[in-house]
Amino acid sequence: MMKVPVLEIFGPTFQGEGAVIGQKTMFVRTAGCDYSCSWCDSAFTWDGSQKENIRMMTADEILASLDELAAGNYNHVTISGGNPALLKNMQDFVIKAKERGIRLAVETQGTVFQEWLSEIDDVTISPKPPSSGMITDFEKLEHVMAGLDQGPAHYNLKVVVFDEKDFEYAADVHRKYPHVDFYLQVGNPFLGDNVDNHTSRLLERYENLVDMTMADARMNDAKVLPQLHTLLWSNKQGV
């Protein structure tokens, strides 16, 4: 039976970022990533620090874990990572979840396409800006979008912004793909436990990003997002 590496399953909670921000959801967080972003807030999915928590799970086991947590109290699941698009074996879970009428969301950096992605209700493609230390392969990104165009999935582009170079990168991505719904999201540089005044510091950065966007005609069609979960729970894992 097809199994996938799962680090954590939790909820009900809500989606704190991307196009379905504010959506009540459950989370299935998978292990593994093909990136190692300098500011990653989920580095435990790929740096080996929580490898003892990885469970190889079938689709039925994942669904049973979700039901154990919240049977009758959810109809939306977010598949997160890491980069869950690395996992071909997620197909079985996607099929069975959809058969139960569960809506699905995924976020990926747009480096790998899997057939099951085209069945996801909301796919957020989040190419990483210069501050991440990663370099975007736009051919791979366009391959992912072309694959998604073949199915019913709705997808969008989201760029996390930490500084002016990131903002310029975001403007270039938006220029390349003006037909795709586009989101800017403020970056969270304050990682770790017990960050002093975290909410107020994040809101200040969010206000700065809003001001930059309002002043730039290239961003007339962009939507500017906070990270809602960090405003509420700082960097706490599993919420």
Side-chain angles (χ1 to χ4, degrees):
M1 298 182 68
M2 293 190 295
K3 294 186 177 184
V4 297
V6 177
L7 257 174
E8 56 181 354
I9 297 174
F10 59 92
T13 182
F14 71 98
Q15 177 56 258
E17 56 189 52
V20 291
I21 190 169
Q23 169 69 52
K24 180 178 176 180
T25 191
M26 302 292 287
F27 270 84
V28 175
R29 188 183 299 280
T30 61
C33 194
D34 49 335
Y35 273 18
S36 54
C37 297
S38 61
W39 36 252
C40 180
D41 60 3
S42 304
F44 60 88
T45 63
W46 50 264
D47 66 6
S49 61
Q50 293 192 23
K51 61 183 179 181
E52 70 279 2
N53 295 329
I54 297 173
R55 293 175 291 164
M56 298 302 297
M57 301 181 70
T58 65
D60 289 335
E61 288 169 341
I62 295 171
L63 287 165
S65 292
L66 290 166
D67 288 342
E68 184 177 355
L69 287 170
N73 194 27
Y74 74 97
N75 57 18
H76 188 278
V77 173
T78 300
I79 304 170
S80 185
N83 182 11
L86 296 175
L87 303 173
K88 184 176 182 179
N89 284 357
M90 188 60 72
Q91 177 79 31
D92 196 30
F93 171 76
V94 171
I95 291 172
K96 292 185 175 183
K98 299 297 288 184
E99 287 175 347
R100 287 180 45 173
I102 297 170
R103 291 172 53 229
L104 298 173
V106 167
E107 178 166 331
T108 175
Q109 56 262 46
T111 54
V112 179
F113 178 74
Q114 303 287 358
E115 292 295 331
W116 59 262
L117 281 172
S118 63
E119 301 300 320
I120 301 297
D121 295 280
D122 292 286
V123 179
T124 294
I125 304 172
S126 184
K128 305 308 178 188
S131 64
S132 70
M134 302 293 105
I135 297 175
T136 301
D137 185 327
F138 284 98
E139 288 188 8
K140 290 182 178 179
L141 180 68
E142 290 167 11
H143 174 71
V144 171
M145 290 193 288
L148 291 170
D149 284 334
Q150 303 306 307
H154 177 265
Y155 65 93
N156 66 88
L157 285 163
K158 184 193 77 176
V159 175
V160 178
V161 176
F162 283 81
D163 54 35
E164 290 186 5
K165 287 185 178 179
D166 289 356
F167 189 85
E168 289 301 312
Y169 168 89
D172 185 56
V173 171
H174 191 28
R175 178 190 61 79
K176 288 178 183 290
Y177 313 109
H179 63 290
V180 181
D181 290 345
F182 186 75
Y183 295 83
L184 295 168
Q185 183 175 295
V186 66
N188 171 23
F190 313 117
L191 303 180
D193 300 328
N194 303 315
V195 179
D196 291 337
N197 303 312
H198 200 185
T199 297
S200 61
R201 294 166 78 179
L202 289 172
L203 284 173
E204 181 179 358
R205 291 179 62 83
Y206 179 52
E207 183 177 6
N208 289 339
L209 180 56
V210 168
D211 288 343
M212 290 174 67
T213 305
M214 289 170 61
D216 196 316
R218 296 173 298 175
M219 297 298 190
N220 286 353
D221 294 321
K223 301 174 182 67
V224 190
L225 303 177
Q227 274 192 318
L228 286 182
H229 56 291
T230 56
L231 295 179
L232 283 176
W233 299 308
S234 190
N235 298 318
K236 186 178 179 180
Q237 183 181 338
V239 293

